[in-house]
């Protein structure tokens, strides 16, 4: 370990080796052992800061009353329950063929098919309603269609007559 | 009544193997109040201490601790670990409750607060602390309370809770590098804030980057 790494470690975690990350502890202690003066100089400020912080630690207090209060509150509080397997939230494609949940899926397919049919019906009805208000267009389209049919019939008739001849 | 549960276990296998609270959680899930007592014996002091260091008030810290353990009681049957231990989750809940309280407190006293402590803030805080004839512990408390909440949380988890860097980062829901950066900045700011009191804190703060 280089001096800069050691200094960074101490500046981050403090001077007490117990707070250093486990994977760096051996290297850092080896550095401190080999370079005692530099390590002591680096540690000095952070040792003081650590001691200052120690003064702010919460003293060990008696928590019996608090524990009793929390236990009493827990007795008056119901626990949340886990979702049963029948819940829709647990539907999954891999469960599709399982006997005990086949029925709800069949019902779902029926619902889907019915929805599809209704949608198609509404779609056609809507399409029809678009042409209901355009009589002129309808008539023109019909006429054009009839003309086409007539001309085709004529051509066919001509060809036919030619062939027959 | 025999109810098939959505999932058989609250843990992925690897966490179940290592979480020391696994048995307690199973008992909590079954509605055992004694298990809540055991859970509190293990973690109540740490959770209360976390809240006390963040908020500086024992009564509020006890309220937060109560909220945390009642939440643990309520949610034990549906708790999902992800990759976290149960105690990490307890600390996360406490952390979030502390942040909520701090934000409410801030909304009352000021419109905005900078994310980082700048030199002007530090000098001002140092002057306030110098003017008042406060005790050594009060200097530390005031300096800690001057830190941005995430720096304050990082120093609390490292120094007062003795959490490993991985666990502290998991509690703060950030990566280890971000946690280390917060920790380094917190200590740097504390040195600046406490510098005017170096005589009372014996010696002063030596070499730092």
């Amino acid at each position: 370990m280089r001096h800069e790494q050691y200094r960074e470690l101490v500046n981050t975690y403090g001077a007490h080796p117990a707070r250093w990350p486990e994977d760096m502890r051996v290297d850092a202690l080896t550095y401190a052992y080999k370079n005692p003066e530099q390590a002591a100089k680096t540690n000095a400020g952070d040792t003081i800061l650590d001691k200052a912080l120690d003064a702010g630690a919460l003293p060990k207090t008696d928590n019996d009353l608090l524990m009793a209060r929390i236990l009493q509150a827990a007795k008056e509080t119901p626990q949340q329950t886990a979702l049963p397997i029948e819940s829709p939230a647990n539907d999954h494609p891999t469960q599709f063929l399982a006997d005990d949940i086949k029925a709800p899926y069949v019902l779902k397919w029926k619902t889907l098919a019915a929805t599809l049919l209704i949608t198609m019906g509404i779609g056609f009805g809507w399409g029809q309603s678009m042409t209901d208000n355009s009589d002129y267009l309808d008539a023109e389209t019909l006429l054009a269609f009839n003309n086409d049919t007539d001309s085709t019939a004529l051509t066919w008739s001509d060809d036919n007559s030619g062939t027959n001849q | 009544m025999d109810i098939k549960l959505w999932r058989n276990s609250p843990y992925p296998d690897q966490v179940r193997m290592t979480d020391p609270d696994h048995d307690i959680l199973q008992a909590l899930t079954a509605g055992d109040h004694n298990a809540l007592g055991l859970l509190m014996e293990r973690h109540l002091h740490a959770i209360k201490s976390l809240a006390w260091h963040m908020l500086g008030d024992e009564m509020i810290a006890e309220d937060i601790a109560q909220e945390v353990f009642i939440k643990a009681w309520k949610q034990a049957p549906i708790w999902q670990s992800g990759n976290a231990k149960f105690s990490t989750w307890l600390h996360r809940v406490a952390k979030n409750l502390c942040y909520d309280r701090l934000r409410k407190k801030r909304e009352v006293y000021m419109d905005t607060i900078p994310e980082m402590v700048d030199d002007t803030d530090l000098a001002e805080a140092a002057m306030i602390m110098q003017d008042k004839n406060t005790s050594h512990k009060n200097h530390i408390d005031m300096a800690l309370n001057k830190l941005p909440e995430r720096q304050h949380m990082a120093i609390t988890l490292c120094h007062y809770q003795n959490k490993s860097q991985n666990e502290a980062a998991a509690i703060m829901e950030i990566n280890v590098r971000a946690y280390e950066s917060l920790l380094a900045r917190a200590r740097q700011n504390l040195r600046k804030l406490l510098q005017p009191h170096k005589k009372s804190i014996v010696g002063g703060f030596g070499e730092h980057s």
Side-chain angles (χ1 to χ4, degrees):
Chain A
M1 178 175 275
R2 288 178 289 111
H3 176 66
E4 288 73 24
Q5 288 174 306
Y6 182 79
R7 190 178 64 187
E8 197 178 329
L9 176 74
V10 171
N11 286 172
T12 301
Y13 289 98
H16 201 298
R19 294 195 180 93
W20 297 346
E22 268 185 44
D23 57 345
M24 298 178 79
R25 199 174 297 152
V26 173
D27 282 354
L29 286 171
T30 306
Y31 171 84
Y33 180 75
K34 287 180 179 172
N35 306 277
E37 282 182 16
Q38 273 189 308
K41 194 180 165 191
T42 304
N43 287 355
D46 283 281
T47 303
I48 291 162
L49 181 57
D50 287 343
K51 282 183 181 170
L53 286 168
D54 288 344
L58 175 68
K60 194 80 180 172
T61 50
D62 185 1
N63 291 320
D64 288 353
L65 280 175
L66 177 60
M67 277 180 69
R69 191 177 96 188
I70 295 171
L71 279 171
Q72 186 56 42
K75 282 175 185 167
E76 293 161 8
T77 308
Q79 287 184 302
Q80 291 181 10
T81 50
L83 295 171
I85 202 159
E86 291 80 9
S87 165
N90 300 322
D91 290 346
H92 191 274
T94 57
Q95 295 173 326
F96 180 70
L97 294 175
D99 288 342
D100 57 341
I101 53 169
K102 196 181 280 181
Y105 273 97
V106 171
L107 280 174
K108 279 187 179 175
W109 280 110
K110 283 181 179 171
T111 310
L112 186 66
T115 308
L116 198 64
L117 281 171
I118 290 165
T119 309
M120 286 171 70
I122 291 170
F124 280 124
W126 183 64
Q128 186 63 42
S129 68
M130 282 290 284
T131 54
D132 281 349
N133 297 326
S134 54
D135 292 345
Y136 174 76
L137 282 172
D138 277 355
E140 196 176 53
T141 307
L142 192 62
L143 192 61
F145 183 77
N146 286 341
N147 285 344
D148 275 352
T149 309
D150 286 345
S151 64
T152 308
L154 256 176
T155 310
W156 183 80
S157 174
D158 289 347
D159 288 345
N160 249 2
S161 58
T163 311
N164 288 339
Q165 282 175 0
Chain B
M1 189 170 67
D2 186 23
I3 298 172
K4 277 183 177 178
L5 295 181
W6 171 39
R7 56 192 161 72
N8 294 325
S9 166
Y11 290 101
D13 287 342
Q14 70 275 16
V15 178
R16 188 190 307 149
M17 295 299 287
T18 56
D19 194 334
D21 294 323
H22 170 65
D23 292 341
I24 288 181
L25 182 58
Q26 291 289 320
L28 276 180
T29 303
D32 183 353
H33 287 95
N34 293 329
L36 184 62
L38 286 172
L39 188 72
M40 285 193 284
E41 274 178 20
R42 284 191 190 172
H43 301 295
L44 181 60
H45 181 74
I47 296 294
K48 183 181 157 185
S49 164
L50 178 75
W52 185 81
H53 279 110
M54 289 302 293
L55 302 164
D57 185 307
E58 191 168 359
M59 297 292 282
I60 297 174
E62 289 191 350
D63 287 348
I64 298 253
Q66 178 165 342
E67 273 191 70
V68 170
F69 285 97
I70 291 298
K71 195 165 187 176
W73 166 254
K74 279 169 70 177
Q75 296 195 359
I78 58 164
W79 186 74
Q80 289 181 81
S81 70
N83 291 318
K85 290 192 290 186
F86 195 54
S87 62
T88 304
W89 180 80
L90 290 175
H91 280 81
R92 275 185 194 169
V93 174
K95 173 207 73 174
N96 290 332
L97 289 170
C98 288
Y99 284 177
D100 286 347
R101 296 279 180 134
L102 284 169
R103 279 163 199 163
K104 278 177 192 164
K105 208 167 151 185
R106 243 181 1 218
E107 280 167 16
V108 172
Y109 290 109
M110 51 182 69
D111 295 325
T112 55
I113 193 164
E115 175 62 23
M116 287 290 300
V117 171
D118 62 27
D119 287 344
T120 320
D121 286 336
L122 293 170
E124 190 186 332
M127 276 177 67
I128 292 167
M129 290 195 293
Q130 211 163 17
D131 289 345
K132 292 184 177 176
N133 186 22
T134 49
S135 69
H136 174 82
K137 186 183 174 307
N138 284 352
H139 291 322
I140 304 300
D141 290 344
M142 286 183 73
L144 284 168
N145 289 329
K146 266 282 164 188
L147 295 176
E149 63 189 22
R150 295 199 319 150
Q151 289 183 25
H152 193 170
M153 181 60 74
I155 206 96
T156 300
L157 291 172
C158 176
H159 196 89
Y160 296 117
Q161 303 268 310
N162 293 317
K163 297 290 180 194
S164 70
Q165 80 271 35
N166 286 325
E167 196 174 355
I171 290 167
M172 294 190 71
E173 298 174 85
I174 54 178
N175 62 41
V176 172
R177 284 184 69 87
Y179 165 71
E180 287 182 332
S181 169
L182 283 170
L183 199 52
R185 279 184 284 154
R187 290 183 69 91
Q188 194 176 10
N189 285 329
L190 283 173
R191 281 188 212 100
K192 287 181 187 172
L193 284 163
L194 294 168
Q195 192 66 30
H197 310 285
K198 59 185 177 185
K199 283 179 186 169
S200 66
I201 302 171
V202 191
F205 306 109
E207 181 189 16
H208 56 87
S209 54

